[in-house]
Amino acid sequence: MEILWSVVVGVFVASGIYLMLERHLLRVLFGLILLSSSVNLAIFTAGRLTSGEPPLIDSGALLPPVGAANPLPQALILTAIVIGFGLLVFTLVLFYRAYEETRSADVDQMKYSEESQ
């Protein structure tokens, strides 16, 4: 199962990088979102995917049951989601400000309008 999710993560990373190399700012933003989600999915996959045992330690036990998922990647993903959302909002505000200044969402047109001023 992890091999399938690893391939999915690879496709998401490739798609995110491809979108981030586009000229339109909205596609760059979508690429950033897709890349952030793919990193979260990679961390989640690295923590072992199990459907039977929750990552909880029984009272009196020192270790979680055998076959349980690792809870640390799940906690890291929660933090990464919050950081990714903050990055998304910050980038969205920067793109909106750039659009207001240049009246264009195309990177090449922004560059040429800046040189003409």
Side-chain angles (χ1 to χ4, degrees), residues 18-84:
Y18 175 77
L19 285 174
M20 289 180 72
L21 293 174
E22 289 286 328
R23 295 180 189 190
H24 198 273
L25 287 181
L26 197 57
R27 290 184 184 138
V28 173
L29 186 64
F30 287 151
L32 185 67
I33 294 168
L34 193 59
L35 192 62
S36 175
S37 298
S38 65
V39 169
N40 290 341
L41 187 59
I43 293 171
F44 188 66
T45 304
R48 193 173 336 128
L49 301 173
T50 60
S51 60
E53 292 288 330
L56 302 173
I57 299 175
D58 295 328
S59 61
L62 297 175
L63 297 171
V66 176
N70 189 358
L72 182 62
Q74 297 174 10
L76 289 174
I77 290 171
L78 289 175
T79 306
I81 289 170
V82 173
I83 293 170

Side-chain angles (χ1 to χ4, degrees), residues 92-112:
L92 187 62
V93 169
L94 283 178
F95 287 171
Y96 179 71
R97 179 70 177 156
Y99 176 77
E100 277 188 342
E101 289 288 321
T102 61
R103 289 293 174 204
S104 174
D106 190 89
V107 176
D108 287 339
Q109 289 179 357
M110 286 181 174
K111 184 174 76 169
Y112 294 133

